């Protein structure tokens, strides 16, 4: 089911998960010349939504059809009744349901953090169908300190009375991630990650219960993600790493590049986890990656 709006660059698409959660995606049609080309699926990070791609998606849609997915519990996707479904395996199943509904056989992905993990799992579970991937500050080896930092803040926090208050609070929390941001930058990223409630308060735009699986004893520790990464095979893979990242170490990113035959590593200066992909270095790398994708 899609909702069209002639004044926007995208249409809204809604579909249902296997367990009855109504999910949302933005679809950018792309040029007629790309009708036969595999589309690009954009998948955001843990606490993010479709607005993460509000600048990148229309840029890529000049060349390809682009589908921006909102995982359950984020943005316009409904909240799950069972918080234990906020895990990568369920997100993969939700994405596969969308691919089936839209009859998409082959596709590429741009995934930030959690979205990159889902990309790797899709490659492993749908052999031959994923034709390229951008992994934005994520990989099969993740730094414990960075994961602990995320666990500490995800699902916490209250509301703010104005967008300026919310931006300043978000800046205080993420100053080390984007050390060169000014207040205009903080307002922009806060409006991507927060929403206005009917009561007039500003809150993070996700279900706080997404944190529940992260707090289970052991969580993801001990799982070997390298087989999922290697499942990307000979497809063009772009590894973006924030130069200040506390999630993807430089040594791990270099190992990722060396593991796959068509992997490219680009370090985005001056940012941590994760680059917004609006940065010039990231945008140029993504343009080169799109050029390497199969045309049909």
């Amino acid at each position: 089911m899609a909702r069209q709006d002639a004044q926007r660059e995208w249409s809204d698409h809604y579909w249902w998960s296997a367990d009855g959660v109504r999910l949302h995606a933005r679809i950018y049609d792309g040029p007629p010349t790309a009708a036969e080309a595999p589309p690009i699926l954009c998948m955001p990070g843990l606490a993010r939504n479709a607005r993460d791609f509000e600048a990148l998606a229309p840029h890529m849609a000049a060349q390809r059809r682009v589908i921006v997915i909102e995982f359950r519990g984020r943005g316009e996707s409904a909240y799950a009744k069972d918080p234990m479904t906020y895990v990568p395996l369920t997100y993969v199943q939700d994405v596969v349901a969308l691919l089936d509904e839209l009859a998409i056989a082959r596709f590429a992905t741009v995934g930030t953090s959690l979205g990159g993990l889902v990309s790797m799992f899709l490659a492993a579970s749908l052999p031959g169908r994923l034709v390229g991937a951008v992994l934005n500050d994520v990989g099969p080896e993740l730094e414990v300190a960075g994961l602990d930092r995320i666990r500490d803040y995800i699902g916490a926090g209250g509301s703010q009375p104005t967008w300026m208050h919310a931006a300043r609070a978000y800046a205080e929390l993420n100053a080390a991630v984007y050390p060169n941001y000014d207040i205009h930058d903080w307002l922009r990223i806060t409006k991507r990650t927060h929403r206005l409630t009917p009561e007039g308060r500003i809150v993070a735009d996700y279900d706080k219960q997404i944190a529940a699986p992260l707090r289970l004893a052991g969580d993801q520790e001990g799982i070997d993600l390298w087989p999922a990464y290697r499942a990307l095979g000979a497809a063009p893979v772009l590894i973006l790493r924030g130069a200040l990242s506390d999630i993807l170490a430089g040594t791990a990113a270099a190992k990722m590049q060396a593991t796959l035959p068509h992997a490219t590593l680009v370090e985005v200066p001056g940012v941590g986890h994760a680059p917004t992909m609006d940065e010039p270095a990231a945008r140029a790398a993504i343009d080169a990656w799109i050029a390497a994708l199969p045309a049909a």
Side-chain angles (χ1 to χ4, degrees):
M1 177 175 61
R3 187 179 73 216
Q4 296 284 347
D5 185 335
Q7 296 184 347
R8 296 186 315 189
E9 299 168 292
W10 73 86
S11 61
D12 291 306
H13 183 86
Y14 297 90
W15 79 104
W16 293 91
S17 71
D19 59 339
V21 179
R22 187 174 186 251
L23 302 167
H24 171 255
R26 292 180 176 182
I27 298 182
Y28 298 74
D29 286 336
T33 52
E36 301 303 317
I40 298 173
L41 269 59
C42 296
M43 296 182 289
L46 179 66
R48 311 298 272 264
N49 58 70
R51 297 190 301 281
D52 252 15
F53 298 92
E54 64 184 8
L56 180 61
H59 175 80
M60 296 192 299
Q63 302 179 68
R64 294 271 173 151
R65 186 186 189 199
V66 176
I67 302 170
V68 184
I69 291 171
E70 290 188 312
F71 294 131
R72 57 175 59 204
R74 287 84 163 175
E76 292 188 46
S77 286
Y79 291 7
K81 293 181 180 179
D82 179 3
M84 290 302 109
T85 64
Y86 289 132
V87 292
L89 177 59
T90 308
Y91 303 139
V92 169
Q93 293 170 344
D94 291 347
V95 173
V96 171
L98 176 64
L99 295 172
D100 291 345
E101 180 169 307
L102 298 180
I104 295 172
R106 302 169 76 229
F107 58 95
T109 61
V110 177
T112 295
S113 195
L114 169 64
L117 294 177
V118 173
S119 294
M120 293 191 294
F121 293 140
L122 285 167
S125 57
L126 303 174
R129 292 179 61 181
L130 199 155
V131 300
V134 175
L135 302 179
N136 185 23
D137 212 60
V138 70
E141 292 182 13
L142 304 176
E143 295 296 292
V144 172
L147 294 174
D148 287 344
R149 175 180 63 84
I150 292 172
R151 287 190 186 95
D152 284 344
Y153 77 75
I154 200 72
S159 64
Q160 298 291 337
T162 69
W163 283 110
M164 186 62 73
H165 284 88
R168 294 196 183 282
Y170 198 68
E172 183 176 346
L173 183 64
N174 293 282
V177 178
Y178 306 110
N180 299 316
Y181 272 20
D182 61 23
I183 190 59
H184 301 289
D185 297 315
W186 289 115
L187 278 168
R188 184 182 67 253
I189 198 168
T190 300
K191 289 184 176 182
R192 287 181 177 181
T193 56
H194 291 66
R195 63 179 174 85
L196 180 66
T197 70
E199 296 75 30
R201 304 288 293 187
I202 311 298
V203 298
D205 195 7
Y206 64 84
D207 181 0
K208 291 183 179 180
Q209 290 300 310
I210 67 171
L214 300 176
R215 296 186 174 130
L216 294 177
D219 189 34
Q220 299 292 329
E221 293 178 13
I223 296 177
D224 182 5
L225 298 178
W226 279 103
Y229 176 72
R230 287 193 290 269
L232 292 164
V237 173
L238 170 61
I239 305 155
L240 293 176
R241 178 181 180 270
L244 308 178
S245 177
D246 62 351
I247 290 289
L248 181 63
T251 51
K255 183 179 175 182
M256 291 168 66
Q257 181 183 26
T259 298
L260 296 181
H262 299 294
T264 301
L265 171 60
V266 172
E267 194 162 271
V268 182
V271 299
H273 181 81
T276 64
M277 296 183 286
D278 298 334
E279 302 90 355
R283 187 63 59 85
I286 290 169
D287 286 345
W289 170 78
I290 293 174
L293 294 176

